[in-house]
Amino acid sequence: RQRCEFNNMDHSTDLNGADRLIVRRGQPFTISLYLYSGNYQPGVSSLDCIVETGPQPLEQYGTRASFGLSANIDTSCWSAAVTSPPGDMVALSICSAPDAPIGRYTLTLGRSGQIEFILLFNPWCTGDSVFMEDKQSLDEYVLSQDGIIYRGSAKHPIPTPWNFGQFESGILDICLRILDMNPKCLKNPGKDCSGRRNPIYVSRVLSAMVNCNDDRGVLLGKWADSYEGGVSPMFWRGSVEILRNWDTQACQPVRYGQCWVFAAVACSISRALGIPCRVVTNYLSAHDSNSDLVIERVINENGDLIQAKEMLWNFHCWVESWMTRPDFKPGFNGWQASDPTPQEKSEGTYCCGPIPVRAIKEGELTFKYDAPFVFAEVNADVTTIMKRKDGSTSKVTNTTVVGQKISTKSVGSDAREDITHLYKYPEGSDEEREAFKKANHQNKLLHQQENEGLHLTIKVTPDMRKGCDFDVFAVVTNNTQSNKKCRLVFGSCAVSYNGILGENCGFKDLLNVELSPGRRVPLRLNYSKYGGLLNEDNLIRLAALLMDYSTRDATLAVRNIVLDNPEIKVRILGEPKENRELAAEITLRNPLPETLENCCFSIEGANLTAGQVISERLGSSVAPGEDATVKIYFTPTHSGLRKLVVDFDSNKLCHVKGYRNVIIGK
């Protein structure tokens, strides 16, 4: 155990515990051998070492290696060297190859001794293809067990806390089981285990295995209001419960996930295996299923969406993993995008990526894997056609820009980092035009200037909270020399984050609008109307359609707004120290004009709640304007900065999220 503790600390795997050996490739670890007879003599004594992984270990697959003692460790291949003076106790230093397959290993020493260990990717090792130089980035993208995932809208990104929990008890074993359950392993385990030397291969396997569409994967996706037979994707606070449920339910899919849940689970598994990984959010994300880089939408004369074969998601999450790409020309190492949400098949399987983020920026659509689909997610063009009652159609001027405010959590802080520049050149720049040419994005290259005569935008006020009544505004500007008479249709409806429209929340149809410069037309949204229509995303789609009677030109403005949930306040009672019980006093004020029933608070946190979710129900209802308050007790197990993730659920306010950073002392 002492050697396990020392080695695991040295290999940054100590948070997995000290009861077994977990090491990283390309880095020496030490074991102690006690000789029953005789002493070790340098240059005289010999020792044959054999390492094996997988059910069919073969040297040609790299899943078996045999080696003897050397004078010194060679970190470029499997090697062993004695580091202690002659005697009956031998300290043996062993190093794996930096490109050895990851997984469970057996080390056979001579004729009798066997040691079992787990080998992981090593982003601290310069010879490993996942090597990452910056220490702060390693702390964030490999060792951090919690983070922030961005939801909401491009105009109002909402940080959602998440417990990745990759070092919680049993999680590493579950991650290795996920690799073992993938169809490629079941079909040819020897070849699959050999492929685990390559993070490109492993990331692609995970992209398929986090969803269950083709295999015995972890999560079943569902994008509907009813989550019968499972729980809403908003229920989850972290990956630990999901992974454990999959493991204990004989690899049956956990119900249900949506994009941020798929991405978060993939991030947990990647970090557990040693691949630096982060969750990213793309706002106004296109789902282009026919690879023409165009999302076509048809509306009626009221501005209602009546046909949309392809979706425009309010936001979409995927993961980026850090690795080299020796399969490409230089310049494409670093962040690689992959997407475990099942959207389109790739090589016959529901998976996507990994594709270098740089390839998306440069318009290199022939690169593996799935470059056209990811390029469209951030660059597709949106065209809108209006179909009139008489059957005639006309193109509508539309200012929707796909791929906005691509976001991830900053290194070392909870601030949002905008990484749009990693995916796209500045709009209108020569570099953007070159990327579009390379990608053959003709629609964007031929893009006409928007109608300069009439300009239409939607403005909102800052007080858009769930439970309140508020105004939104269609702002019309006439830049022509003549007076204009127009029809203005201004409507609103509930919408899910992936673009599915719900019921009408408020509507206004002005048949004869005389335009003056900067005319503001208000639309009142009342909680009594929208409150019962919203889903858990708290999103409302605003659409204003302006029709010029003289030219028959139409202009459409669309904006999705997200209503803020109330803030959850968390106060820590007691001195935060490891292995000492603490209390979290948690408070939420009811912002709705109606009573909350069946109120429940839940907490979860890596190294805070022993890998469990701790819940506390309120004994009474909460009237409008009143506080719901509970105390929940927990005992931290490790020191350091930890994130306590909090969830509040009730009959009217569902899965409100909050968190509190806690510094745990020794």
Side-chain angles (χ1 to χ4, degrees):
R1 179 181 172 90
Q2 192 175 3
R3 279 296 180 189
C4 286
E5 192 170 352
F6 170 79
N7 285 312
N8 291 5
M9 286 276 288
D10 197 40
H11 285 246
S12 300
T13 63
D14 51 297
L15 284 171
N16 286 298
D19 56 335
R20 56 182 173 165
L21 188 59
I22 302 170
V23 294
R24 299 187 186 274
R25 59 189 197 172
Q27 181 177 339
F29 60 94
T30 305
I31 57 175
S32 299
L33 303 178
Y34 295 91
L35 306 180
Y36 289 118
S37 60
N39 288 344
Y40 166 72
Q41 297 296 328
V44 177
S45 305
S46 65
L47 182 66
D48 295 322
C49 304
I50 298 172
V51 287
E52 296 177 317
T53 184
Q56 302 164 2
L58 291 169
E59 294 202 10
Q60 68 199 62
Y61 275 163
T63 49
R64 183 182 193 273
S66 54
F67 51 98
L69 293 177
S70 309
N72 296 295
I73 282 291
D74 182 351
T75 56
S76 68
C77 60
W78 284 98
S79 61
V82 173
T83 57
S84 60
D88 60 358
M89 194 283 286
V90 176
L92 190 65
S93 183
I94 294 173
C95 189
S96 64
D99 61 349
I102 63 157
R104 300 181 190 278
Y105 275 81
T106 300
L107 167 63
T108 304
L109 299 165
R111 294 178 186 167
S112 54
Q114 276 199 339
I115 293 171
E116 292 185 346
F117 64 95
I118 293 174
L119 188 68
L120 303 178
F121 290 108
N122 191 353
W124 285 266
C125 171
T126 54
D128 197 310
S129 49
V130 300
F131 172 66
M132 182 176 253
E133 195 167 4
D134 182 62
K135 183 189 179 300
Q136 273 194 307
S137 296
L138 287 163
D139 288 344
E140 183 70 52
Y141 300 133
V142 182
L143 299 180
S144 179
Q145 294 194 78
D146 47 53
I148 300 287
I149 298 171
Y150 290 93
R151 301 178 70 254
S153 70
K155 299 274 189 185
H156 188 44
I158 293 181
T160 303
W162 192 269
N163 176 31
F164 294 115
Q166 69 269 29
F167 300 122
E168 292 285 9
S169 176
I171 294 301
L172 178 56
D173 297 289
I174 296 169
C175 295
L176 294 173
R177 188 181 188 189
I178 289 167
L179 294 183
D180 290 342
M181 291 305 298
N182 97 77
K184 292 177 181 176
C185 183
L186 298 176
K187 184 179 178 183
N188 189 338
K191 189 177 178 185
D192 176 78
C193 286
S194 176
R196 296 181 194 179
R197 69 177 59 208
N198 185 351
I200 303 169
Y201 177 83
V202 172
S203 294
R204 190 153 173 80
V205 165
L206 293 182
S207 170
M209 281 299 292
V210 170
N211 71 71
C212 67
N213 288 40
D214 316 278
D215 44 46
R216 298 178 71 181
V218 176
L219 277 160
L220 178 63
K222 191 167 188 186
W223 287 264
D225 287 337
S226 169
Y227 298 108
E228 199 173 329
V231 296
S232 157
M234 280 295 291
F235 169 84
W236 308 112
R237 294 149 296 266
S239 307
V240 176
E241 192 177 1
I242 294 169
L243 291 167
R244 285 181 177 161
N245 286 355
W246 176 83
D247 185 52
T248 56
Q249 294 165 13
C251 308
Q252 292 299 304
V254 177
R255 302 164 186 256
Y256 295 99
Q258 289 175 3
C259 71
W260 72 93
V261 185
F262 287 109
V265 170
C267 184
S268 294
I269 301 168
S270 299
R271 290 183 184 183
L273 299 177
I275 302 173
C277 191
R278 64 187 185 184
V279 178
V280 302
T281 302
N282 176 41
Y283 289 99
L284 290 173
S285 189
H287 181 160
D288 176 27
S289 54
N290 63 2
S291 301
D292 65 354
L293 296 173
V294 177
I295 305 296
E296 189 174 281
R297 330 198 84 197
V298 182
I299 62 172
N300 62 20
E301 290 175 278
N302 287 336
D304 299 325
L305 196 61
I306 57 174
Q307 185 183 332
K309 292 178 184 174
E310 298 168 312
M311 300 305 295
L312 189 61
W313 294 35
N314 192 59
F315 68 85
H316 181 53
C317 298
W318 57 77
V319 292
E320 291 176 359
S321 306
W322 183 272
M323 65 193 72
T324 60
R325 291 303 295 257
D327 47 336
F328 298 143
K329 61 189 178 185
F332 293 91
N333 297 336
W335 290 117
Q336 315 288 316
S338 59
D339 191 346
T341 300
Q343 296 179 89
E344 299 293 328
K345 284 193 172 185
S346 171
E347 298 180 340
T349 301
Y350 278 101
C351 64
C352 179
I355 178 71
V357 172
R358 176 83 188 279
I360 302 305
K361 184 172 183 175
E362 301 297 340
E364 297 279 8
L365 300 198
T366 60
F367 282 27
K368 284 188 172 183
Y369 292 87
D370 310 305
F373 186 79
V374 180
F375 184 85
E377 285 183 306
V378 299
N379 284 307
D381 207 21
V382 179
T383 63
T384 306
I385 306 295
M386 183 167 69
K387 192 171 185 178
R388 295 186 173 84
K389 289 175 185 172
D390 62 8
S392 65
T393 60
S394 61
K395 192 170 180 181
V396 177
T397 301
N398 186 351
T399 56
T400 301
V401 177
V402 164
Q404 293 185 28
K405 238 178 215 174
I406 304 174
S407 302
T408 192
K409 177 187 176 296
S410 294
V411 171
S413 87
D414 288 342
R416 185 184 70 86
E417 181 184 354
D418 194 308
I419 56 170
T420 311
H421 64 283
L422 298 181
Y423 283 84
K424 306 167 78 166
Y425 283 107
E427 199 169 342
S429 66
D430 292 342
E431 293 93 339
E432 181 196 51
R433 191 170 181 80
E434 282 304 310
F436 287 161
K437 278 183 183 174
K438 208 178 284 183
N440 197 26
H441 197 351
Q442 297 299 330
N443 224 64
K444 273 277 174 80
L445 290 168
L446 299 172
H447 216 294
Q448 296 175 333
Q449 289 291 310
E450 82 175 78
N451 180 357
E452 292 296 329
L454 298 177
H455 189 65
L456 178 64
T457 56
I458 295 172
K459 300 287 186 186
V460 299
T461 53
D463 58 342
M464 297 184 300
R465 292 185 301 279
K466 193 171 182 180
C468 295
D469 301 340
F470 56 91
D471 287 322
V472 292
F473 301 90
V475 180
V476 188
T477 307
N478 180 7
N479 295 322
T480 69
Q481 301 299 312
S482 55
N483 292 327
K484 290 280 188 182
K485 272 199 173 179
C486 300
R487 178 187 176 197
L488 176 66
V489 180
F490 193 11
S492 62
C493 64
V495 62
S496 66
Y497 89 94
N498 65 326
I500 304 295
L501 301 184
E503 296 293 317
N504 165 41
C505 296
F507 182 79
K508 183 175 279 188
D509 188 354
L510 304 177
L511 294 174
N512 289 293
V513 178
E514 292 196 14
L515 296 187
S516 55
R519 167 115 188 233
R520 288 163 68 91
V521 177
L523 178 67
R524 187 75 170 168
L525 296 183
N526 295 305
Y527 176 74
S528 59
K529 180 79 181 280
Y530 74 72
L533 303 177
L534 288 185
N535 59 31
E536 293 174 348
D537 298 315
N538 281 357
L539 286 166
I540 295 176
R541 177 185 185 264
L542 307 175
L545 179 65
L546 185 69
M547 288 163 280
D548 185 340
Y549 287 126
S550 60
T551 63
R552 297 198 80 193
D553 288 340
T555 302
L556 176 71
V558 177
R559 179 168 177 174
N560 288 341
I561 59 171
V562 58
L563 305 188
D564 283 331
N565 274 319
E567 179 189 2
I568 294 178
K569 294 181 179 177
V570 183
R571 199 159 65 98
I572 302 299
L573 307 178
E575 187 181 357
K577 284 194 171 184
E578 58 184 45
N579 301 315
R580 177 181 292 181
E581 187 178 67
L582 296 174
E585 184 184 76
I586 310 169
T587 303
L588 176 142
R589 178 161 293 174
N590 179 8
L592 306 183
E594 50 191 330
T595 299
L596 300 181
E597 309 279 355
N598 304 320
C599 301
C600 180
F601 285 95
S602 302
I603 65 169
E604 176 178 351
N607 304 132
L608 293 176
T609 59
Q612 306 298 317
V613 177
I614 307 173
S615 300
E616 186 75 35
R617 287 197 171 274
L618 256 70
S620 58
S621 58
V622 182
E626 285 192 356
D627 286 345
T629 302
V630 296
K631 280 183 188 172
I632 302 182
Y633 293 88
F634 63 100
T635 304
T637 55
H638 288 77
S639 60
L641 179 63
R642 307 292 172 203
K643 192 173 259 86
L644 188 71
V645 179
V646 183
D647 176 273
F648 172 83
D649 194 32
S650 69
N651 62 328
K652 296 292 182 182
L653 277 176
C654 298
H655 300 302
V656 179
K657 297 290 191 288
Y659 70 94
R660 171 70 185 263
N661 288 330
V662 188
I663 299 174
I664 307 297
K666 285 190 177 293

